[in-house]
């Protein structure tokens, strides 16, 4: 405990990561405080209130597994829960574990400076004086820093505009209006079918066509839920052995897509398509490893788009060309079908982008589109954005921004050389966004809690990743990615969606070997970290 402030730990962010970190810190008897910029808990699910927002990992799996009573008592209503239900769940967790008294809402952390003499972090949160704490945990989220593109004339638009990740709390009424949606990633794919039902005219501005699998969302069947809950711990354990931390109960083929004939392959893809969701990419084991295998899965989806969209010219524009899965695959409820509506218009901006936003609408593809509302479904400055928005100064005054000029560097995604006693949850260099993120969050929070307990038991007050361990880890993350198809397209995994951002593949592919490595590091007395 820090003598001046009484704080062992400052946690930044009150999403699923921050909430669980606080709970585990309390269980260790540590004094912790959470600072959260928003006016409520829930993180992603507090901010992303756009129409159609829901999870793309099934609700029964996209939830905490650390507490048996919690997972038994919470009743998910749908296969893929909608945003309000997930937000209620986050609030339920905050109440059930009495977390709120240590959470300060409406408080943005702007800076944190390591004080080597006192061995503590001095954290500037809100308008108050800096607070000292021995440890600092960044639970700031990978997809929490909105990417609002700097399009000329943006401020001049006379109508209202929204970013999906900063959606208003009151219902946005699109009835009778001309609406433009910029983007065709997951947020757009979820919101477009819902907005289309309300708007008079909907214009979708597409830079890159997207692959999306049907969700086949539906109310959860009581017998299925009872079956899962009869061995919930077993499902969670099996999921932790899956490459992406979910889907152990999905049918999957461990072989190659190229080892079977065209008819068997089509049958396997069709079965996954009918089951719905992200499991489509599980149809064969080598879809993200082998480009030729991947091409077969991509072509199957293109066939589905051609069969769904009635106007052949529109269907042609909707056909994605990039490697399937190298941008996160979307999961939808009626996305492609929406382009059969008379009030929905697809605008191809792949050549020249959006030229300008004007008071009356926007100019693209050589004409001005008159609009009453613009929805920016343009994604996030992912993985590093929220961290680099703060001024984090480590040992010797080194800023994290300077340290990461050539791209993020970390050891295990958890620690950064030069930044003692700083932990990042789902940081670059860890599996995070390539997994069911709640599984990754639980694994990392538990590792950090174990580490804090170990340090206390050993009478140590300082831990820092070594430069050598960090270099080796960065090389490992790159080597693993190079054996996959992930680096082959301009995705946010690479930072390619934000102009000027360094292109480095940020997450680590594969959850089980990562978790095993973290356990080994801990078992060897936090190998690769310097303790004192
Ligand atoms: P977040 O939920 O992002 O929380 C971080 C919090 O930190 C935010 O509330 C933010 O306000 C706060 N914060 C950031 N910087 C500061 C600061 N400087 N000071 C104070 N507070 C700060 N993942 C899945 O695995 N499955 C899904 O189905 C899924 N669906 C998603 C749907 C959407 C629309 C989006 C955007 C993401 C989705 N994700 C999904 C990823 C999702 O972000 C994670 O699953 C998870 O919710 C992340 O939790 P977190 O606590 O790490 O971060
Ligand atoms: P995204 O995947 O990054 O998609 C952003 C879209 O906006 C892309 O189509 C992009 O085009 C386009 N875009 C960006 N800048 C543009 C510009 N200047 N001009 C024109 N178009 C532009 O963002 P997202 O849809 O918010 O999703 C981000 C991640 O959050 C997802 O990958 C997923 O991990 C998570 N998420 C999950 C769900 C879910 O289903 N549960 C829902 C939403 C989000 P380009 O492709 O050409 O860059």
């Amino acid at each position: 405990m820090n003598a001046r402030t009484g704080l062992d730990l400052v946690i930044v962010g009150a999403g699923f990561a921050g909430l669980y970190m606080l709970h585990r810190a309390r269980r260790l008897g540590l004094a912790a405080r959470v600072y959260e910029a928003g006016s409520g808990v829930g993180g992603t699910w507090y901010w992303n209130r756009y129409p159609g927002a829901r999870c793309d990992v099934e609700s029964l799996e996209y939830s905490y597994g650390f507490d048996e009573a919690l997972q038994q008592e919470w009743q998910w209503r749908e296969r893929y829960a909608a945003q309000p239900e997930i937000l209620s769940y986050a609030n339920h967790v905050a109440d059930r574990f009495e977390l709120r008294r240590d959470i300060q809402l409406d408080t943005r952390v702007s800076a944190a400076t390591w004080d080597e003499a006192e061995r503590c972090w001095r954290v500037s949160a809100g308008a108050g004086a800096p607070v000292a704490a021995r440890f600092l945990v960044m639970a700031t989220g990978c997809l929490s820093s909105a990417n609002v593109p700097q399009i000329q004339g943006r401020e001049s638009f006379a109508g209202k505009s929204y970013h999906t990740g900063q959606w208003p709390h009151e219902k946005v009424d699109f009835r009778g209006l001309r609406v433009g949606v910029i983007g065709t990633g997951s947020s757009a794919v979820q919101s477009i079918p819902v907005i289309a039902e309300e708007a008079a005219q909907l214009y979708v501005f597409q830079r890159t066509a997207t692959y999306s699998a049907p969700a086949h969302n539906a109310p959860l069947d009581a017998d299925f839920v009872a079956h899962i809950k009869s061995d919930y711990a077993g499902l969670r354990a099996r999921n932790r052995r899956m490459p992406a931390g979910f889907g152990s109960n999905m049918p999957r083929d461990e072989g190659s897509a190229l080892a079977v004939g065209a008819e068997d392959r089509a049958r396997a893809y069709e079965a996954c398509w009918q089951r719905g969701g992200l499991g489509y990419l599980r149809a064969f084991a080598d879809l993200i490893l082998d480009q030729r295998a991947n091409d077969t899965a991509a072509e199957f989806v293109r066939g589905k788009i051609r069969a769904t969209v009635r106007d052949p010219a529109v269907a042609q524009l909707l056909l994605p060309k990039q490697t399937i899965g190298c941008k996160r695959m979307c999961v939808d409820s009626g996305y492609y079908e929406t382009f059969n509506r008379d009030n929905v218009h697809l605008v191809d901006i792949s050549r020249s982008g959006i030229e300008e936003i004007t008071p009356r609408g926007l100019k693209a593809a050589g004409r001005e589109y008159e609009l009453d509302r613009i929805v920016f479904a343009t994604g996030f400055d992912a993985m590093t954005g929220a961290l680099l928005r703060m001024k984090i100064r480590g040992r010797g005054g080194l800023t994290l921004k300077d340290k990461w000029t050539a791209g993020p560097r970390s050891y295990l995604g958890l620690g950064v050389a030069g930044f003692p006693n700083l932990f990042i949850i789902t940081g670059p260099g860890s599996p995070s966004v390539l997994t069911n993120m709640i599984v990754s969050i639980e694994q990392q929070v538990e590792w950090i809690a174990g580490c804090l307990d170990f340090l206390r038991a050993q009478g140590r007050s300082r831990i820092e990743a070594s430069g050598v361990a960090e270099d080796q880890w960065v090389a490992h993350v790159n080597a693993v990615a190079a054996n996959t198809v992930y680096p082959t397209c301009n995705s946010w995994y690479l930072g390619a969606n934000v102009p000027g951002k360094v292109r480095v593949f940020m997450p680590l592919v594969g959850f089980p070997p990562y978790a095993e490595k973290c356990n080994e590091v801990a078992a060897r007395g936090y190998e690769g970290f310097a303790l004192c």
Side-chain angles (χ1 to χ4, degrees), residues 257-322:
L258 305 174
V260 296
E263 274 184 25
D264 285 344
R265 204 160 45 223
R267 223 182 337 265
Y269 289 140
E270 184 63 33
C272 288
W273 194 260
Q274 292 310 329
R275 190 183 184 283
L278 294 172
Y280 179 71
L281 288 174
R282 301 277 178 77
F284 294 99
D286 57 351
L287 297 183
I288 65 146
L289 301 174
D290 183 314
Q291 188 63 54
R292 287 191 312 135
N294 185 286
D295 291 344
T296 65
E299 189 48 35
F300 182 88
V301 180
R302 287 191 282 265
K304 286 289 181 191
I305 298 170
R306 286 189 197 97
T308 306
V309 180
R310 284 196 291 270
D311 181 333
V314 176
Q316 185 63 28
L317 279 180
L318 286 168
L319 300 183
K321 297 180 186 69
Q322 71 275 14

Side-chain angles (χ1 to χ4, degrees), residues 13 15-17 36-37 43-45 47 50 55-57 62 109 139-141 437:
F16 285 126
E36 166 56 56
T44 290
W45 305 101
W47 295 104
Y50 60 83
C55 50
D56 60 7
V57 169
Y62 186 69
V109 170
T140 44
M437 286 195 69

Side-chain angles (χ1 to χ4, degrees), residues 12-18 35-38 40 42-48 50 53-57 62 107-110 139-144 187 190 328 380 386 389-390 425-426 432 435-438 441:
V12 190
F16 285 126
Y35 293 110
E36 166 56 56
T44 290
W45 305 101
Y46 170 84
W47 295 104
N48 289 265
Y50 60 83
R54 55 181 73 247
C55 50
D56 60 7
V57 169
Y62 186 69
T107 309
R108 183 169 286 282
V109 170
S110 55
T140 44
C142 294
L143 297 161
S144 59
S187 302
Q190 288 187 328
R328 187 181 172 99
F380 301 89
R389 274 173 74 180
M390 290 170 279
I425 303 178
T426 64
S432 63
T435 65
N436 172 353
M437 286 195 69
I438 301 189
I441 285 168

Side-chain angles (χ1 to χ4, degrees), residues 134-174:
R134 183 71 73 205
F135 298 96
L136 178 59
V137 177
M138 293 302 180
T140 44
C142 294
L143 297 161
S144 59
S145 181
N147 171 39
V148 185
Q150 299 298 318
I151 299 170
Q152 190 194 331
R154 204 182 75 213
E155 303 303 328
S156 71
F157 181 56
K160 289 186 180 157
S161 59
Y162 312 94
H163 186 281
T164 50
Q166 296 172 334
W167 202 260
H169 288 203
E170 62 283 1
K171 175 169 166 37
V172 176
D173 190 351
F174 291 114

Side-chain angles (χ1 to χ4, degrees), residues 372-453:
D372 303 301
R373 301 286 183 268
I374 297 178
V375 174
F376 289 92
T378 45
F380 301 89
D381 182 355
M383 302 203 75
T384 55
L387 292 165
L388 295 179
R389 274 173 74 180
M390 290 170 279
K391 192 154 201 175
I392 305 173
R393 279 186 184 279
R395 188 160 45 77
L398 175 69
T399 65
L400 192 63
K401 197 171 183 181
D402 285 342
K403 162 105 190 185
W404 284 2
T405 331
R409 303 181 68 74
S410 75
Y411 178 40
L412 304 175
L414 284 158
V416 182
F419 295 80
N421 291 11
L422 172 78
F423 298 102
I424 304 172
I425 303 178
T426 64
S430 74
S432 63
V433 292
L434 297 179
T435 65
N436 172 353
M437 286 195 69
I438 301 189
V439 169
S440 282
I441 285 168
E442 289 190 321
Q443 179 265 334
Q444 291 199 317
V445 166
E446 284 159 19
W447 189 93
I448 294 167
C451 178
L452 295 176
D453 197 24

Side-chain angles (χ1 to χ4, degrees), residues 62-301:
Y62 186 69
S63 47
Y64 290 120
F66 69 84
D67 188 281
E68 179 63 14
L70 169 68
Q71 65 186 4
Q72 289 295 337
E73 77 199 10
W74 185 263
Q75 300 293 335
W76 292 108
R77 291 196 292 269
E78 291 178 274
R79 179 176 176 191
Y80 296 98
Q83 172 271 335
E85 193 177 4
I86 307 175
L87 184 59
S88 301
Y89 172 72
N91 276 287
H92 170 74
V93 170
D95 291 333
R96 191 183 194 288
F97 297 100
E98 298 178 357
L99 300 176
R100 293 187 197 275
R101 66 174 187 272
D102 291 319
I103 302 175
Q104 192 170 314
L105 299 172
D106 297 307
T107 309
R108 183 169 286 282
V109 170
S110 55
T113 303
W114 173 249
D115 180 334
E116 183 69 44
E118 295 278 340
R119 285 196 183 177
C120 68
W121 281 95
R122 300 201 178 278
V123 182
S124 303
V131 173
R134 183 71 73 205
F135 298 96
L136 178 59
V137 177
M138 293 302 180
T140 44
C142 294
L143 297 161
S144 59
S145 181
N147 171 39
V148 185
Q150 299 298 318
I151 299 170
Q152 190 194 331
R154 204 182 75 213
E155 303 303 328
S156 71
F157 181 56
K160 289 186 180 157
S161 59
Y162 312 94
H163 186 281
T164 50
Q166 296 172 334
W167 202 260
H169 288 203
E170 62 283 1
K171 175 169 166 37
V172 176
D173 190 351
F174 291 114
R175 274 177 304 177
L177 300 178
R178 296 161 303 177
V179 182
V181 174
I182 304 176
T184 50
S186 299
S187 302
V189 160
Q190 288 187 328
S191 54
I192 283 167
V194 187
I195 298 175
E197 284 182 12
E198 221 178 81
Q201 301 296 327
L202 174 62
Y203 296 87
V204 176
F205 297 92
Q206 172 184 275
R207 193 165 69 178
T208 309
T210 198
Y211 294 97
S212 187
H216 300 312
N217 189 34
L220 276 166
D221 172 69
D223 290 341
F224 177 67
V225 174
H227 164 69
I228 294 291
K229 289 191 171 180
S230 68
D231 181 24
Y232 221 150
L235 174 69
R236 303 288 193 188
R238 289 189 295 280
N239 277 349
R240 282 194 296 273
R241 294 195 289 273
M242 299 300 292
F246 70 99
S248 59
N249 54 358
M250 286 179 195
R252 59 189 184 281
D253 190 315
E254 300 299 348
S256 163
L258 305 174
V260 296
E263 274 184 25
D264 285 344
R265 204 160 45 223
R267 223 182 337 265
Y269 289 140
E270 184 63 33
C272 288
W273 194 260
Q274 292 310 329
R275 190 183 184 283
L278 294 172
Y280 179 71
L281 288 174
R282 301 277 178 77
F284 294 99
D286 57 351
L287 297 183
I288 65 146
L289 301 174
D290 183 314
Q291 188 63 54
R292 287 191 312 135
N294 185 286
D295 291 344
T296 65
E299 189 48 35
F300 182 88
V301 180

